[in-house]
Amino acid sequence: METPIYARLTDYHRKGRISFAMPGHKNMKGLVPKLLQCDVTELDATVDLHHECDTVKRADKLLSELYQTRASFIMTCGSTAGIQTMLSSHLKPGDTVLAAADCHMSVINTCAVCGFKLRLVPVALDSKFLIPRDIPDFDITPDVKAMIITSPNYYGIVKDIKAAAEKCHEAGIPLFVDEAHGAHFIGSQELPASAVSQGADMVCQSAHKTLNALTGAAYLHVCGDSIDIKRVKRALRTFQSSSPSYPIAASADTARAELAEAGYCHIIDECRQFREAIGRAAKIRVLDNDDITRIVLSFAEYEITGFMVGKMLSEHFGIDVEMSDYLNIVLIATPWNTHNEFMQLFSALIDICRMLAPREKAVEIQPPPVCSELIDPSEGWYAETETIEIDKAAGRISATAVSAYPPGTALAVTGAVITQEQIEYIKTLKTAGAEITGLSGNGIEVVKWTE
């Protein structure tokens, strides 16, 4: 019997690799036992996430009490379903949403499918690490009905949610926060404050990224008094499967319970010690970010890309990193990473650096400017399309969101005109080893020209 996916994944698990990637349970080490026995359907003797039985109400109430929200909901389709729910539960077709330019591609896809228009706000760039940081001052035009911000981003950088929330509320609109990578923040006072306590009106989190939950486990939090909870529940039923995975739901429930009881403290000291040690032992820049458990290491001083470092760690040392980019590797550490794993990572990085030559010329790669025009993603999504070579796409309207995944930030936006700068940037990342989604080989889908 041929089972390509099952065979490859069981082979991965058999090798006992070290994970500094998601999911947060680190190859099952943090999971409670017997989750598979929870794989049942909606029966009288079980539960139904979409019906408000006492069991589901109690689980959601415990989640809300932990995060101190107006209401909270367990989800099984990840933060993508949370983003879809937040936007669709407040906006109507034709409305405009303001989004930070480093938003996840699911924001663009939701706008495309639901008929929302999009304005992008530029994000400041860290010149040493070439990564997005906070949002500079921005304007809220009268047509904007909501704003969505990603915080923290993939690099553990938290935006000023309190200031953004105040500005949104002064303009009479809600602020939604994609906090997919921050479900653990309430686990320690040494971690950033969660957006749920900083004035955000709704917040979604991926429990599987930094807690010990199965992939797909997520939370949606309603914080603002202006949010229509009935419409939120309707959106949750719309965008989630009518047959939710109960192992995923159960793992989201147990992850909440363990976070409430155990917190997130002991791994912080391990991360701090590793950061200090690797910074002293090699010419590796360590990003001073907000989330100490999100370790970002830059190899700008060496003649190598982050993509290559990530590949070397994987192929030669059996260590998986969460993501790589042109300069950096990104590591996710959770309480289920051991001291020995940090020591093996340290040794591997030192071995790699010993083989590297110093960089002679500084990297000058810069992402293209953010589109300042009002974008209608549905214009590209629903149009008649054709696939052309990306080299010939300048001036054409993209029919798809193109992104390097991870982190999933759009390099070309559905419904927006593709620029030559975007094309060159995409090609540079692809040549360097980035995984680019939204392309078909060297082709890109664009809106077909009509006579």
Side-chain angles (χ1 to χ4, degrees), residues 35-63:
L35 275 173
L36 281 182
Q37 72 182 13
C38 300
D39 192 19
V40 295
T41 189
E42 301 82 4
L43 305 169
D44 290 341
T46 59
V47 297
D48 187 338
L49 283 185
H50 299 310
H51 290 173
E52 296 189 284
C53 68
D54 289 343
T55 301
V56 175
K57 282 183 179 179
R58 182 59 181 162
D60 287 343
K61 187 173 188 298
L62 288 168
L63 181 62

Side-chain angles (χ1 to χ4, degrees), residues 185-225:
F185 281 178
I186 63 166
S188 171
Q189 293 184 348
E190 294 188 74
L191 294 171
S194 170
V196 300
S197 65
Q198 299 298 298
D201 293 279
M202 277 198 282
V203 179
C204 65
Q205 300 167 331
S206 293
H208 70 91
K209 285 182 167 62
T210 56
L211 305 183
N212 60 334
L214 291 172
T215 299
Y219 306 138
L220 179 67
H221 304 293
V222 178
C223 310
D225 292 334

Side-chain angles (χ1 to χ4, degrees), residues 24 26 29-30 187-191 258-259 261-274 292-293 333-339 341-342:
K26 303 302 178 178
K29 287 186 295 188
S188 171
Q189 293 184 348
E190 294 188 74
L191 294 171
E258 292 197 8
L259 181 63
E261 292 181 5
Y264 215 83
C265 294
H266 81 266
I267 193 64
I268 291 176
D269 287 338
E270 195 75 56
C271 291
R272 183 178 291 112
Q273 292 170 18
F274 175 82
I292 194 171
T293 66
T334 76
W336 300 277
N337 283 115
T338 66
H339 175 71
E341 289 175 342
F342 275 96

